[in-house]
Amino acid sequence: MPVTSSPFDADGIAALLDAAGLAGWAGSVLPIAMSRVTPDAHGDAPRWLDALACLRDHGLSLPARKDALLRLSPWRKGPVSVGGIDIDAEWRSDLKWSRVRDAIEPLAGRNVLDVGCGNGYYALQMRKDGARHVIGIDPSILYVMQFLAINIFERDDKVCVLPLRLHEVPSAAVFDTVFSMGVLYHQRSPIDHLAELRAMLRPGGQLVLETLFIPGDEPCASTPPGRYARMKNVWLLPTISELTTWLRRTRFRNVTVADTAVTTAQEQRSTEWMTFESLADALAPDDPSCTVEGWPAPRRVVMTANAPG
């Protein structure tokens, strides 16, 4: 049976936006977001919407529930438990969160924006760590559908994920904390991205930035001529010194390196829930310290900084 109703609770999201100080978004960006989760918005949208409708059936058996969740594959961020089904996603995102959560200002009582939030895994962790409201934005319709599936069972009305890009939402300096994790290296202009992030922070608010970096002490950045670790949309890979310069040039203060880590196959790998190529396929078979293209293997840094007070 074709799914005709919206998977979004428009009134609930509007109430959340209002409570977070974003009342203007309800009239400007919520209609755009809702238009992107209709059956004709994407070739796979009817299948995804049907999976959501099945998951809302409280009498659904566990095997049928797993089948519905598999129809929302690939699952990139996890692990998550959805209605009694454990989803072993490509990323062990819990490992990254364990490194990040104690290195940032406490989230209790904060309004949070999560840019490039994926399926909302981290947004839900932020809520569990006490964030008052969490607004996630991500252009992937599938990831939004995955969040909606998770939240059928989480039932958290203080968090939402909207299918939007950062440049599509009005600047609103109301957020206490803004996260940008795994986004910067996909930007053609990283400086512009950092400036847009700063514009969303209240005075003194904290940016949590997680991105790829290349080793070296000099302030420099390199652009892969083709792919990096089999990814075709990586534009600039900076050293930490260069990244620090970018943050300071965009008027951030208190720039701090909170964590660095080399990504391993224990943290990112193919699973039943993400059967495509993963990290192991992106590394040189004879030297895993390099990618198949000859670049240094993925290293990630978490940096924190504050907007001007």
Side-chain angles (χ1 to χ4, degrees):
M1 179 181 296
V3 178
T4 57
S5 61
S6 173
F8 276 161
D9 173 8
D11 291 339
I13 294 175
L16 171 58
L17 294 174
D18 183 60
L22 298 164
W25 284 23
S28 61
V29 302
L30 187 52
I32 298 172
M34 293 190 66
S35 73
R36 291 176 178 170
V37 290
T38 60
D40 59 353
H42 188 283
D44 290 320
R47 172 167 59 90
W48 298 335
L49 290 167
D50 182 66
L52 289 179
C54 290
L55 291 168
R56 291 192 178 96
D57 178 359
H58 296 296
L60 197 66
S61 68
L62 285 178
R65 193 171 293 165
K66 181 176 181 179
D67 176 71
L69 291 166
L70 281 169
R71 278 185 272 158
L72 296 173
S73 295
W75 289 80
R76 299 284 183 179
K77 290 183 172 65
V80 290
S81 181
V82 182
I85 303 297
D86 293 328
I87 298 175
D88 184 19
E90 177 188 17
W91 277 93
R92 283 286 310 276
S93 303
D94 55 321
L95 300 178
K96 183 182 297 184
W97 187 244
S98 70
R99 299 193 299 265
V100 169
R101 61 188 304 233
D102 293 330
I104 64 177
E105 294 173 10
L107 294 175
R110 290 195 165 212
N111 279 343
V112 179
L113 175 66
D114 188 4
V115 177
C117 64
N119 63 13
Y121 173 86
Y122 294 114
L124 288 164
Q125 302 309 309
M126 295 167 201
R127 279 283 294 144
K128 291 172 183 176
D129 280 355
R132 184 180 179 191
H133 308 107
V134 183
I135 312 299
I137 58 174
D138 196 289
S140 169
I141 299 171
L142 173 59
Y143 297 161
V144 175
M145 298 289 187
Q146 290 176 354
F147 168 78
L148 292 170
I150 296 168
N151 213 29
I152 289 171
F153 300 91
E154 290 286 337
R155 299 175 182 239
D156 190 337
D157 62 0
K158 298 298 188 296
V159 57
C160 70
V161 172
L162 302 174
L164 299 164
R165 298 180 184 275
L166 182 58
H167 72 264
E168 294 179 309
V169 300
S171 295
V174 302
F175 292 100
D176 302 297
T177 307
V178 170
F179 286 81
S180 172
M181 298 199 291
V183 177
L184 188 67
Y185 48 88
H186 293 314
Q187 307 302 307
R188 288 178 173 86
S189 176
I191 296 290
D192 289 343
H193 180 69
L194 293 174
E196 290 171 348
L197 295 171
R198 192 198 66 238
M200 307 305 290
L201 282 163
R202 63 158 173 81
Q206 186 176 57
L207 170 68
V208 181
L209 178 72
E210 188 263 7
T211 189
L212 292 169
F213 74 96
I214 52 175
D217 296 327
E218 295 299 316
C220 62
S222 297
T223 300
R227 295 176 181 254
Y228 170 80
R230 296 191 182 275
M231 293 185 288
K232 62 182 178 180
N233 57 344
V234 174
W235 292 96
L236 272 175
L237 295 168
T239 60
I240 291 177
S241 177
E242 179 72 357
L243 190 54
T244 300
T245 298
W246 292 351
L247 287 163
R248 289 175 176 162
R249 286 292 298 270
T250 46
R251 298 175 47 220
F252 281 101
R253 302 175 179 176
N254 306 322
V255 178
T256 302
V257 176
D259 177 70
T260 60
V262 176
T263 306
T264 69
Q266 286 70 49
E267 189 168 355
Q268 184 188 16
R269 68 275 190 270
S270 301
T271 73
E272 175 189 10
W273 298 87
M274 203 299 294
T275 58
F276 305 112
E277 290 181 338
S278 190
L279 177 64
D281 305 288
L283 300 180
D286 56 344
D287 183 4
S289 69
C290 296
T291 71
V292 291
E293 302 88 2
W295 287 81
R299 302 169 183 230
R300 292 178 178 267
V301 59
V302 177
M303 301 189 73
T304 60
N306 294 94

